[in-house]
Amino acid sequence: MKYDIIVIGSGPGGYIAAVRASQLGKKVAIIEKYSTLGGTCLNVGCIPSKALLDSSHHFYDAVHHFEEHGISVEKPSFDFSKMIERKANVVETTTAGIKYLMDKNKIDVFEGLGSFEDATHVKITKNDGSSEIIEGANIIIATGSKPANLPFINLDKERIITSTEALKLKEVPKNLIVIGGGVIGLELGSVYARLGANVQVIEYAPKITPTMDGDISKELQKVLKKQGMDFFVSHGVKSVERKGDEITVIATNKKGEEVTFTGDYCLVSVGRKPYTEGLGLEKVGVKVNEKGQVDINSHLQTNVSNIYAIGDVVKGAMLAHKAEEEGVVVAEFIAGEKPHIDYNLIPGIVYTWPEVAAVGKTEEELIAAKIDYKLGKFSMRALGRSRASGDIDGFVKVLADKKTDEILGVHMVGARVADLIMEAAVAMEFRASAEDLARICHGHPTYAEAVKEAAKAAWDGKPLNA
């Protein structure tokens, strides 16, 4: 069978590429090795983790905040199995929605492992051992990533686990050790901390969320510590051992001293790595870099001109929305259009509570690049909306060019900032100044007013409510 485009992988990048290509009149096939569509994000990543984050957030509020609202709940309790069941139902509904999109857009779906026979032919090896070969004028690699590990850690997937297993535990850990203070470790650590686990986060870097603005990391650590999580930054893990149901982790602190941690579960969340096993890239000569990422040019083309790659399998942040945008760009480029993507304006989000969101340059990046900037900051505590809801932690920070006033970066910690960050992204897409943002009338009382106030603080140093 011949296709205009074959997509290998049905995660956010792959299925969006397939849908957009079909909208543009292309005959499209998509190959997925698992029985459900949606890839890591929908099955064992973004969607299930947010379902558990929401469930645990409700319970945490019932225990800690209902009383201040005048709501009486006698000794709140939870059924963890029902939380897991709800999460599974959310995943099932969402993946079924992807199947609907494939049918609606007349995209042929093949279940099995896709591997290159040559530059235009892909072999699909099915679970029953049978196989078939399909032909595509263009092929998009969208095979995503899988959890990374440290070479000396034996992941037994029972007590020493990755994010995949952390989403389907049978019980709430009593003492959870989290190796890695990035997005995944903090989100899943938050889930279990809210449900009563003692959570200890070990991070090699001198701060949690190492790639984010320093002020953000500091504020988030302070707030999560207040919620009961413990942090050990500048600690390098040396060994992880299991004896029965007890896990022992030995790490070295910045003074070179050994520190021992014990728990009943250990979540290893040290990042993710590109997944290319079984693709047969060597058969077609597609180049892979030293990090295992597929090499691409500015059009997301590999060194084999009709083969493209998107998402976690290529360079850049491993984010579902980044993969989606790349999927659209490739589909449109193949169709002869002239799309673009600004990687500087892809927001980064942490779905703890309060949430964390950022777009553009960090203050550290501006200092390193020797760019003169000005800074405006506004505390969520000063907002009427925040006081009304009780969500007073966090701030909005706006960085703008000292000469031109153009917004260079926006960083937020607070309620609903995962949604608020898009106001900054839109403004920066149109190269708005801090004054532009400050002069836009914002509804009152809203969390978004913090963005206006921080922008005014960056523009003229005079926020109105601080």
Side-chain angles (χ1 to χ4, degrees):
M1 202 171 291
K2 291 185 178 181
Y3 294 92
D4 297 315
I5 297 174
I6 297 171
V7 182
I8 306 175
S10 71
Y15 89 76
I16 287 292
V19 169
R20 185 63 182 134
S22 178
Q23 289 175 345
L24 294 170
K26 301 298 181 183
K27 186 179 181 182
V28 184
I30 193 164
I31 303 168
E32 173 54 59
K33 71 172 184 174
Y34 294 114
S35 58
T36 55
L37 302 175
T40 293
C41 177
L42 275 65
N43 289 279
V44 291
C46 326
I47 300 303
S49 64
K50 302 313 162 282
L52 285 182
L53 279 160
D54 278 343
S55 293
S56 61
H57 189 181
H58 288 312
F59 175 71
Y60 185 87
D61 275 352
V63 173
H64 297 278
H65 298 303
F66 275 14
E67 196 173 326
E68 66 195 57
H69 288 279
I71 302 169
S72 296
V73 179
E74 236 179 86
K75 203 173 181 184
S77 61
F78 63 88
D79 183 334
F80 187 57
S81 63
K82 280 193 177 177
M83 287 187 179
I84 296 294
E85 183 184 339
R86 175 184 177 274
K87 177 229 31 166
N89 289 337
V90 170
V91 170
E92 186 179 339
T93 302
T94 308
T95 55
I98 307 305
K99 179 66 172 68
Y100 164 77
L101 286 174
M102 298 301 100
D103 293 341
K104 177 187 175 185
N105 289 281
K106 297 179 173 58
I107 296 163
D108 290 343
V109 177
F110 294 88
E111 184 182 332
L113 177 68
S115 60
F116 286 97
E117 287 289 291
D118 57 38
T120 56
H121 292 83
V122 178
K123 180 181 180 181
I124 304 161
T125 305
K126 302 176 183 178
N127 292 330
D128 62 7
S130 64
S131 65
E132 66 178 302
I133 293 174
I134 58 176
E135 182 180 350
N138 298 280
I139 298 169
I140 302 173
I141 301 167
T143 47
S145 62
K146 63 179 182 179
N149 190 19
L150 298 174
F152 52 84
I153 297 179
N154 175 32
L155 292 166
D156 62 20
K157 300 189 177 182
E158 294 175 351
R159 296 275 169 178
I160 305 173
I161 59 176
T162 70
S163 56
T164 301
E165 295 77 45
L167 291 166
K168 53 184 180 183
L169 292 179
K170 303 292 186 189
E171 62 180 356
V172 174
K174 295 180 181 65
N175 296 286
L176 174 64
I177 302 167
V178 178
I179 300 175
V183 177
I184 296 169
L186 296 179
E187 288 184 354
L188 291 175
S190 289
V191 167
Y192 289 111
R194 294 169 187 169
L195 300 179
N198 294 313
V199 177
Q200 299 177 96
V201 178
I202 306 169
E203 170 55 51
Y204 180 77
K207 63 177 186 175
I208 61 171
T209 57
T211 61
M212 300 190 93
D213 189 274
D215 281 350
I216 292 286
S217 301
K218 195 183 300 180
E219 177 75 3
L220 181 60
Q221 182 172 328
K222 182 183 81 176
V223 174
L224 293 181
K225 188 169 176 57
K226 194 165 64 176
Q227 294 174 11
M229 293 172 68
D230 290 320
F231 296 92
F232 302 86
V233 297
S234 299
H235 278 60
V237 172
K238 290 175 63 180
S239 68
V240 179
E241 300 294 338
R242 174 183 176 181
K243 285 185 181 178
D245 290 345
E246 185 175 271
I247 310 299
T248 302
V249 176
I250 297 175
T252 306
N253 65 20
K254 59 183 174 184
K255 294 178 182 176
E257 303 162 336
E258 279 196 356
V259 185
T260 301
F261 303 86
T262 57
D264 51 340
Y265 287 88
C266 176
L267 168 61
V268 180
S269 54
V270 292
R272 298 182 65 84
K273 59 182 181 180
Y275 185 74
T276 57
E277 286 92 329
L279 265 177
L281 297 180
E282 65 285 348
K283 280 190 177 180
V284 282
V286 168
K287 291 181 181 174
V288 176
N289 68 20
E290 69 282 354
K291 293 181 179 178
Q293 299 162 328
V294 177
D295 269 336
I296 49 167
N297 63 16
S298 59
H299 298 301
L300 297 146
Q301 276 174 306
T302 69
N303 57 298
V304 181
S305 62
N306 70 309
I307 299 176
Y308 299 77
I310 62 173
D312 288 5
V313 84
V314 302
K315 63 185 178 181
M318 291 185 171
L319 299 168
H321 44 284
K322 178 250 198 189
E324 288 182 352
E325 293 307 308
E326 289 178 335
V328 170
V329 164
V330 168
E332 292 180 350
F333 181 74
I334 291 171
E337 299 189 2
K338 295 180 179 179
H340 77 281
I341 181 169
D342 186 342
Y343 285 99
N344 183 52
L345 297 183
I346 294 174
I349 303 168
V350 188
Y351 293 89
T352 49
W353 195 265
E355 294 173 334
V356 176
V359 66
K361 302 299 183 188
T362 66
E363 190 171 353
E364 291 80 4
E365 286 173 329
L366 294 179
I367 291 168
K370 296 182 179 176
I371 295 172
D372 287 336
Y373 66 93
K374 49 189 180 174
L375 183 158
K377 209 170 181 181
F378 190 81
S379 171
M380 290 295 189
R381 189 177 293 270
L383 284 181
R385 181 71 182 90
S386 294
R387 289 194 296 272
S389 68
D391 297 299
I392 57 175
D393 290 315
F395 58 81
V396 174
K397 175 179 177 178
V398 174
L399 301 166
D401 188 283
K402 202 165 190 175
K403 293 176 185 172
T404 67
D405 197 37
E406 181 180 351
I407 300 168
L408 303 175
V410 179
H411 308 273
M412 308 174 173
V413 180
R416 305 299 173 201
V417 299
D419 300 297
L420 284 186
I421 196 63
M422 293 318 303
E423 175 176 4
V426 170
M428 291 170 71
E429 182 69 50
F430 287 93
R431 302 196 65 175
S433 66
E435 181 184 358
D436 289 331
L437 201 47
R439 289 193 179 279
I440 294 171
C441 182
H442 285 62
H444 174 78
T446 60
Y447 299 120
E449 287 176 283
V451 182
K452 173 187 173 78
E453 292 278 17
K456 190 170 189 310
W459 163 43
D460 67 0
K462 298 173 183 175
L464 296 168
N465 284 285

